[in-house]
Amino acid sequence: SHMDTVPPAVNAVMLEDDDKFFTDGTTALGADDKCGLAAILSVAEEYKGDDYAILLTVAEEIGLWGSSHLKKEFLDTINIKHVFVMDATGDVGTIINSQVGKSRVTLTFNGKKSHAGFKPENGINAIVMASNFISSIKTGRLEELTTSNIGSFIAEGTTNVVPDKATVVFEVRSNRSETRFEIIREYIEKATEAASKLGGSVDVFEEDLYTEYCVNEDADIIRHALKSFSSIGNDAKI
């Protein structure tokens, strides 16, 4: 499990009734991933069986940065056979055996400053370049298991200066790496075209955050999980 939550869950105002925990609406609850932590710690408190290891990471919400620093050599020393990640929505007994991969790309559009009142024609508006790029692409659900989203558009300045910088950050997720990278290449090409049409340029910073995976439904780890759920009277599902 990871220990961090989304920023709106900082100093969460938590309420509860007989059925659930919730907030007063001014903050997020942070169930992602406080619920996973609670499940793991509850089991650790009661379980008296074979040896096991608990791994708690930080900096997950910003791109799995915490777990990316885990050294494989450390895991090799403790002979781990199966790993379960407690981080998903759904009913108890839900087994998730596949996941999409994710990339994040930062585009910095470079224009040219000029006084917006005296010499606007001498400037190159970075906001216009970025806006033209955004209007040229499709976002949202592109295929059943492929999505993209623009999550940030920053271009600070004043109205009397033609802006020379605009930054756009987007992500792409897919169950196929080739599809993910094809979409990114298409977006970068469109960003380059939007910038060059106005005489500007664009800098690209690409991050491959994590890769997709799929565990066969007849794998040992899946059978182990199904057997464990069955032993407590739960009809698990994949």
Side-chain angles (χ1 to χ4, degrees):
S1 171
H2 61 93
M3 295 186 288
D4 58 320
T5 64
V6 292
V10 175
N11 298 320
V13 180
M14 191 183 76
L15 306 172
E16 62 178 299
D17 57 23
D18 293 336
D19 299 318
K20 60 184 179 296
F21 296 103
F22 54 97
T23 72
D24 64 353
T26 62
T27 71
L29 183 61
D32 178 7
D33 199 19
K34 293 176 183 176
C35 285
L37 288 170
I40 291 171
L41 296 177
S42 294
V43 170
E45 204 169 39
E46 300 293 333
Y47 185 61
K48 308 301 180 185
D50 296 335
D51 290 343
Y52 61 94
I54 295 173
L55 175 63
L56 305 178
T57 63
V58 297
E60 188 271 352
E61 293 288 354
I62 55 177
L64 300 183
W65 286 1
S67 57
S68 69
H69 286 80
L70 180 66
K71 295 185 183 301
K72 183 179 182 298
E73 294 77 15
F74 168 73
L75 294 179
D76 291 339
T77 64
I78 50 181
N79 191 31
I80 293 177
K81 295 180 180 179
H82 297 143
V83 176
F84 297 95
V85 180
M86 302 297 173
D87 185 7
T89 59
D91 298 330
V92 173
T94 300
I95 299 172
I96 296 174
N97 67 321
S98 63
Q99 178 59 45
V100 298
K102 176 182 174 181
S103 293
R104 180 170 56 212
V105 179
T106 301
L107 302 174
T108 303
F109 291 85
N110 306 297
K112 181 181 178 183
K113 284 185 178 181
S114 183
H115 195 286
F118 293 111
K119 291 287 185 178
E121 60 276 0
N122 288 355
I124 300 175
N125 195 310
I127 292 178
V128 173
M129 288 190 288
S131 299
N132 289 343
F133 156 69
I134 292 171
S135 65
S136 72
I137 64 172
K138 180 182 178 182
T139 59
R141 188 169 299 281
L142 307 180
E143 297 177 3
E144 182 182 2
L145 295 175
T146 301
T147 61
S148 73
N149 182 59
I150 295 173
S152 177
F153 186 152
I154 300 174
E156 297 180 354
T158 61
T159 60
N160 65 339
V161 177
V162 176
D164 67 336
K165 293 287 182 184
T167 302
V168 175
V169 184
F170 69 84
E171 69 162 45
V172 179
R173 305 184 192 219
S174 180
N175 63 326
R176 298 187 303 275
S177 290
E178 58 270 24
T179 299
R180 181 159 46 103
F181 296 136
E182 282 175 8
I183 293 169
I184 290 171
R185 284 195 296 271
E186 176 190 347
Y187 284 9
I188 292 174
E189 287 176 2
K190 288 185 177 294
T192 302
E193 181 181 352
S196 62
K197 275 186 176 181
L198 294 180
S201 64
V202 60
D203 296 327
V204 180
F205 178 63
E206 184 176 341
E207 300 169 275
D208 186 14
L209 297 178
Y210 50 84
T211 304
E212 70 279 357
Y213 68 83
C214 183
V215 179
N216 292 331
E217 294 187 10
D218 62 349
D220 287 344
I221 189 170
I222 301 295
R223 291 201 298 267
H224 180 73
L226 290 171
K227 181 179 178 181
S228 297
F229 279 120
S230 178
S231 70
I232 60 172
N234 182 281
D235 294 325
K237 59 182 180 180
I238 301 174

